């Protein structure tokens, strides 16, 4: 056998079963793998095992057609031919009556033959990335089908009796031209995952709310304008992706999705979220970035299990104080909004490790931010900060503090000085005060720097290092604070910079 000359395990024979026959000892071959062999046709050696072959892998070759003799392998249970040059699936496939899994993805197959219905044992079909424009009626007689993958094809509709496939658990139809679903799909009582992303739906198909056991639904990249209340009938739904549509409103009855853990509403046209969103008690991920939100409902604070929250690229001018109740929050992104300040309650989000506040209008940060002691990454670039609160010395896990888009290092040492008005200690360095992006005099640490001016200002500052001991210091000892901004050991002047100090 030609394939036996190969050396790698997966390209040889997957399984050998010894068998004694009256002519002596023979080997029964049940699995052959010819993947990635640059083949232009199915090797003739395969046909020597037509009575015993159960699995045949021909992945990633240049095979253009399947020979008739292949379909004499009636014991075949799995046929895998993805990433080849097939232009059709021959009608002789009907003779593979024991076939359970068929993978013809990434070929040029334009249609399934009507007599595919004879392969009644089929449970899994992967036919994505083929120019298939329709499914034959016979396809709906594959009553044992549990998984169907037809992503990136040319489907414009499904057969009217598609609902006959009552054992379907996974149905992926991403990147087609579908606008409607057949009403018969309400019979798909076992369907758990449905992917309809990148199609042409203008509204949520009515039949969806009848598929009661649905757990995962993708409807991203369509043309939906409303997320209707009927979605709330999907009590088992755990994952919902409605991003990249034109949704302007979310019905308050979305609260009916009581099992929902991931809600993705990114890149829509939302101006507000319903108060009822706070009833989604199991929500762990909420993404509403790239919308037109001007405020967040106070009920957001009821999402006690929320771990990831992204409301970047909106028109928010404030965050609700109830954000402090998000004790499970680990990632918070509020980039590109209009926030002039943060609520003091944000300090109660003590499990946050990554927080990004880039491109807002922040002029100061609350002292309470020092309570977020698990912070490892904090992005404050493109704001209007004049300094940082001294409580930053408590952020001992901080590994990256971004103060500018052009910053050359993740951490730039800070110094302490007295606030000119309040006389309280604050932290600063040469990157303060921040200049809004686009200003002609915007500076970064990669510009050239005036050492004389810097030396003058340094005399009035104290190097901050970071092993700050959490105790009150007497006024007379306020001279030098030993802190260590995460692994940066003091002598700021030992570092070489190139920057220009603005007045």
């Amino acid at each position: 056998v030609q394939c036996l000359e190969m050396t790698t395990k997966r390209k040889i024979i997957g399984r050998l079963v010894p068998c004694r026959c009256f002519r002596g000892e023979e080997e029964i071959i049940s699995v052959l793998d010819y993947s990635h062999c640059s083949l232009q046709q199915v090797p003739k050696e395969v046909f020597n095992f037509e009575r015993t072959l159960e699995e045949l892998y021909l992945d990633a070759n240049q095979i253009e057609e399947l020979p008739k003799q292949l379909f004499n392998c009636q014991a075949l249970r799995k046929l895998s031919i993805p990433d080849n040059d097939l232009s059709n699936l021959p009608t002789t496939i009907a003779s593979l009556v024991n076939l359970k899994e068929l993978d013809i993805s990434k070929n040029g197959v334009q249609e399934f033959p009507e007599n595919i219905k004879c392969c009644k044992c089929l449970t899994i079909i992967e036919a994505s990335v083929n120019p298939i424009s329709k499914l034959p009626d016979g396809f709906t007689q594959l009553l044992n089908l549990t998984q169907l993958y037809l992503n990136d094809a040319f489907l414009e509709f499904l057969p009217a009796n598609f609902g006959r496939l009552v054992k379907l658990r996974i149905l992926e139809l991403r990147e087609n031209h579908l606008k409607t679903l057949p009403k018969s799909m309400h019979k798909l009582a076992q369907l758990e995952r449905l992917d309809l992303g990148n199609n042409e739906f203008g509204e949520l198909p009515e039949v969806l709310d009848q598929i009661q056991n649905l757990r995962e639904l993708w409807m991203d990249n369509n043309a939906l304008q409303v997320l209707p209340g009927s979605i709330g009938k999907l009590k088992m739904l755990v994952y919902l992706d409605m991003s990249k549509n034109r949704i302007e409103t979310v019905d308050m009855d979305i609260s009916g999705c009581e099992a929902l853990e991931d809600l993705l509403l990114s890149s829509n046209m939302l101006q507000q979220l319903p108060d009822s969103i706070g009833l989604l008690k199991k929500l762990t991920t909420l993404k509403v970035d790239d919308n037109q939100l001007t405020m967040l409902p106070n009920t957001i604070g009821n999402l006690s299990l929320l771990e990831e929250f992204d409301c970047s690229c909106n028109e928010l001018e404030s965050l609700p104080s109830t954000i402090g109740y998000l004790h499970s929050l680990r990632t918070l992104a509020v980039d590109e909004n209009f926030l002039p300040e943060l609520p003091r309650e944000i300090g109660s989000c003590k499990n946050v490790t990554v927080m990004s506040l880039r491109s807002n209008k922040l002029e100061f940060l609350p002292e309470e931010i020092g309570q977020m002691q698990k912070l490892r990454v904090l992005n404050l670039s493109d704001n209007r900060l004049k300094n940082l609160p001294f409580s930053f010395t408590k952020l001992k896990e901080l590994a990256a503090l971004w103060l500018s888009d052009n910053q050359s290092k993740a951490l730039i040492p800070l110094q302490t000085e007295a606030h000119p008005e309040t006389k309280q200690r604050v932290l600063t360095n040469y990157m303060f005060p921040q200049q809004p992006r686009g200003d002609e005099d915007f500076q970064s640490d990669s510009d050239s720097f005036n050492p004389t001016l810097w030396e003058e200002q340094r005399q009035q500052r104290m190097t901050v290092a970071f092993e700050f001991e959490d105790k009150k210091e007497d006024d007379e000892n306020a001279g030098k604070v030993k802190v260590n901004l995460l692994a940066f050991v003091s002598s700021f002047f030992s570092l070489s910079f190139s920057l220009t100090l603005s007045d």
Side-chain angles (χ1 to χ4, degrees), residues 434-447:
Q434 289 181 321
Q435 302 294 328
R437 187 191 301 169
D439 286 11
E440 291 182 5
D441 58 348
F442 175 72
Q443 303 297 333
S444 77
D445 71 332
S446 58
D447 299 326

Side-chain angles (χ1 to χ4, degrees), residues 149 223 225 232 257 259 261 268 361 373 381 393 402 433 446 487 498:
Y149 304 91
Q225 295 184 5
C257 299
E261 295 179 8
N268 279 287
K361 296 184 177 181
Q373 295 186 22
S381 60
T393 56
W402 300 104
S446 58
S498 59

Side-chain angles (χ1 to χ4, degrees), residues 390 416 425 462 473-482:
F390 192 75
T416 175
R425 285 180 298 177
M462 295 166 288
E473 303 195 46
D474 299 328
D475 290 341
E476 61 268 16
N477 291 332
K480 191 149 191 173
V481 181
K482 283 189 179 179

Side-chain angles (χ1 to χ4, degrees), residues 285-432:
T285 299
L286 176 58
K287 295 187 177 183
V288 292
D289 52 298
D290 193 18
N291 277 281
Q292 300 167 18
L293 298 173
T294 56
M295 60 177 293
L296 296 175
N298 287 327
T299 54
I300 207 90
N302 296 334
L303 304 177
S304 58
L305 298 180
L306 196 65
E307 296 180 4
E308 181 181 357
F309 183 32
D310 189 348
C311 55
S312 300
C313 303
N314 278 285
E315 299 172 18
L316 299 174
E317 295 184 359
S318 65
L319 294 179
S321 59
T322 53
I323 199 168
Y325 292 119
L326 303 181
H327 297 151
S328 298
L329 200 61
R330 282 166 173 69
T331 302
L332 174 62
V334 201
D335 300 335
E336 296 186 44
N337 279 281
F338 303 112
L339 301 180
E341 61 181 0
L342 298 178
R344 296 172 56 186
E345 290 81 2
I346 201 166
S348 299
C349 300
K350 296 182 179 179
N351 285 306
V352 171
T353 59
V354 177
M355 181 162 69
S356 190
L357 302 165
R358 177 179 54 81
S359 299
N360 277 278
K361 296 184 177 181
L362 295 172
E363 296 185 1
F364 67 93
L365 297 176
E367 286 284 340
E368 287 78 6
I369 207 166
Q371 299 170 18
M372 304 173 72
Q373 295 186 22
K374 291 186 179 179
L375 261 181
R376 291 188 56 78
V377 178
L378 177 58
N379 192 340
L380 298 170
S381 60
D382 192 25
N383 276 283
R384 301 176 181 183
L385 296 169
K386 296 182 175 128
N387 51 52
L388 298 176
F390 192 75
S391 61
F392 260 61
T393 56
K394 298 178 182 178
L395 304 180
K396 297 175 183 177
E397 296 294 319
L398 201 61
L401 174 60
W402 300 104
L403 299 172
S404 165
D405 288 338
N406 297 324
Q407 191 170 316
S408 60
K409 294 182 180 179
L411 278 173
I412 304 295
L414 298 169
Q415 292 76 43
T416 175
E417 67 178 19
H419 191 282
E421 297 173 7
T422 66
K423 304 306 178 185
Q424 291 182 332
R425 285 180 298 177
V426 294
L427 300 176
T428 185
N429 64 19
Y430 61 87
M431 303 185 81
F432 292 102

